[in-house]
Amino acid sequence: MFGYRVPAPDEAMLISGGRRGLGGAPFRVVTGHGKFVVPFFRKTRFLSLAMCESEVTETCVTKQGIALHVRAVIAFKVGNDSESIINAGQRFLSDQDQMSVLTGRIFAGHLRAIIGSMTVEEIVTERQKLAAEVLDTSKTEMAKIGLIVDSLQIQSIDDGDTGYIDAMSAPHKAAIQRQAQIAQAQATQAAVEAEQEAARQQAEYARQTAVVKAQYSAEVDRAQAQAAQAGPLAHAHAQQEVLDAQTELAQRQALLRQKQLVAEVVKPAEAEAERVRILAAAEAQRMKIQAEAAASYDRVALDRMLIDQLPQIVKEAAGGLAGANVNVLNGADGLGEIAAGLVSQGLTILDSVRQNLSGQESDGHRSEEARDTGLLQLSARREKKSDDGPVDVD
């Protein structure tokens, strides 16, 4: 439409001419919408609100007196508010490329000032702090010309031929190189260990494979051997079963024969032996009773015979004194004593015979010997008295 103008999204339309609605400004600012402009009476200009870039390359001297070549890039634009647009329009509307030149110069001055108050170590290690301080000190000046800074990037810092930065970084380089060597050695060791582990796993896999193959082969061989031996084994098992049955039958026959022998021979023999033992015991008991009765009868008969023979014994003893020369010293009393002595000797012989018979009742022969001994003693006394001559009796 004739006389109707619309600015681009990144532009500000500046309408100059007339005094209505200016509010003391040299032009009217229109952004984001169109405006009817009266031809010939109003003049329209456009100010770019797009992002601009300015590069700064400056040699700065640090607090330590070391010259550094600093390269920085500034991203800036005209502010979106009317005041910033008016300030920028008044300064750069006829030559908008001057915004980059002026911005670079402003930042170069602030950059030199800030770097002059810092050491090389601070500048190198704290670049972000340097950029923040430069932005903070330049903010007021940039606002006066209607510009705002979006970012400041310190791209490079170089000390030329002084070698200060290299010397400062030498320990770090050495440490980094050492760490790199250590990392390389560790990587090499890890690679070697990995290779060894892979080789070990391969060897283990090969061993397991060989073992499995050997097991399969052994199982196949065992199955084949079992199949080959199945027939002979079955025949041997059948023969073994026959032998076992024959052995069991022979054992049963032997046991039956043993029972028959026990019934036919052993039992009758045991019965006969028991009968003989009982008869022998009875016979022994009968003989014992007879021996006891005979011994008792012999003692009674012997006692009676001794009693009957005692007068004869005394008589014979006295007859032995008939031809002897006996001197009697005390007359009738002395003869009485001799007679009493003869009787006493006869009784002593009788008692000795009785004691021998009572101590050996079961042995009849010893009783006879005791009796003969008593008779022999009596005869010996008689012979001794007849040989000695006269007996003196006190």
Side-chain angles (χ1 to χ4, degrees), residues 213-233:
K213 288 181 178 180
Q215 291 177 351
Y216 287 161
S217 178
E219 290 180 0
V220 171
D221 294 341
R222 184 165 54 253
Q224 291 177 353
Q226 290 178 354
Q229 295 176 358
L233 285 176

Side-chain angles (χ1 to χ4, degrees), residues 152-213:
L152 171 63
Q153 295 294 329
I154 307 297
Q155 292 188 338
S156 64
I157 299 173
D158 186 13
D159 61 351
D161 297 334
T162 60
Y164 187 90
I165 295 177
D166 291 338
M168 184 180 65
S169 63
H172 301 286
K173 288 182 179 179
I176 291 173
Q177 290 177 357
R178 183 171 61 253
Q179 292 177 357
Q181 292 175 356
I182 293 173
Q184 182 64 34
Q186 291 177 349
T188 303
Q189 182 179 359
V192 172
E193 291 178 355
E195 291 178 358
Q196 292 177 352
E197 181 64 20
R200 188 188 66 79
Q201 290 180 357
Q202 290 178 357
E204 181 66 19
Y205 178 76
R207 186 188 67 80
Q208 293 179 356
T209 303
V211 170
V212 172
K213 288 181 178 180

Side-chain angles (χ1 to χ4, degrees), residues 91-342:
R91 291 169 175 81
F92 307 110
L93 186 60
S94 58
D95 189 4
Q96 297 187 26
D97 292 337
Q98 288 295 320
M99 288 189 293
S100 298
V101 177
L102 182 59
T103 299
R105 291 176 180 175
I106 292 172
F107 272 87
H110 289 287
L111 193 62
R112 286 194 301 272
I114 299 300
I115 289 177
S117 64
M118 299 176 67
T119 63
V120 178
E121 289 79 6
E122 292 175 346
I123 295 169
V124 173
T125 57
E126 299 179 4
R127 291 189 181 187
Q128 206 59 32
K129 178 182 177 181
L130 173 62
E133 289 185 2
V134 172
L135 285 175
D136 188 59
T137 56
S138 62
K139 186 182 296 184
T140 303
E141 294 182 15
M142 295 294 288
K144 288 180 180 180
I145 60 178
L147 302 177
I148 58 175
V149 179
D150 287 340
S151 67
L152 171 63
Q153 295 294 329
I154 307 297
Q155 292 188 338
S156 64
I157 299 173
D158 186 13
D159 61 351
D161 297 334
T162 60
Y164 187 90
I165 295 177
D166 291 338
M168 184 180 65
S169 63
H172 301 286
K173 288 182 179 179
I176 291 173
Q177 290 177 357
R178 183 171 61 253
Q179 292 177 357
Q181 292 175 356
I182 293 173
Q184 182 64 34
Q186 291 177 349
T188 303
Q189 182 179 359
V192 172
E193 291 178 355
E195 291 178 358
Q196 292 177 352
E197 181 64 20
R200 188 188 66 79
Q201 290 180 357
Q202 290 178 357
E204 181 66 19
Y205 178 76
R207 186 188 67 80
Q208 293 179 356
T209 303
V211 170
V212 172
K213 288 181 178 180
Q215 291 177 351
Y216 287 161
S217 178
E219 290 180 0
V220 171
D221 294 341
R222 184 165 54 253
Q224 291 177 353
Q226 290 178 354
Q229 295 176 358
L233 285 176
H235 181 66
H237 288 164
Q239 290 182 347
Q240 183 65 36
E241 291 178 356
V242 172
L243 291 175
D244 292 341
Q246 292 177 352
T247 302
E248 185 178 0
L249 178 60
Q251 291 176 351
R252 290 182 178 180
Q253 291 177 350
L255 182 60
L256 179 60
R257 181 57 182 166
Q258 181 180 4
K259 291 181 179 180
Q260 290 176 352
L261 290 175
V262 170
E264 295 174 357
V265 177
V266 176
K267 291 298 183 180
E270 289 180 351
E272 181 62 22
E274 182 65 19
R275 186 183 68 80
V276 172
R277 187 185 64 79
I278 293 172
L279 293 176
E283 182 64 22
Q285 186 66 23
R286 184 183 65 79
M287 293 177 65
K288 180 180 179 182
I289 293 172
Q290 290 178 353
E292 290 178 353
S296 177
Y297 176 78
D298 290 341
R299 283 197 305 271
V300 173
L302 181 60
D303 290 343
R304 180 174 297 174
M305 182 186 67
L306 291 175
I307 293 170
D308 293 338
Q309 294 294 329
L310 182 58
Q312 185 64 30
I313 293 171
V314 175
K315 181 179 180 181
E316 291 294 332
L321 297 176
N325 187 14
V326 178
N327 296 321
V328 180
L329 298 179
N330 50 356
D333 293 333
L335 292 174
E337 290 177 359
I338 293 173
L342 293 176

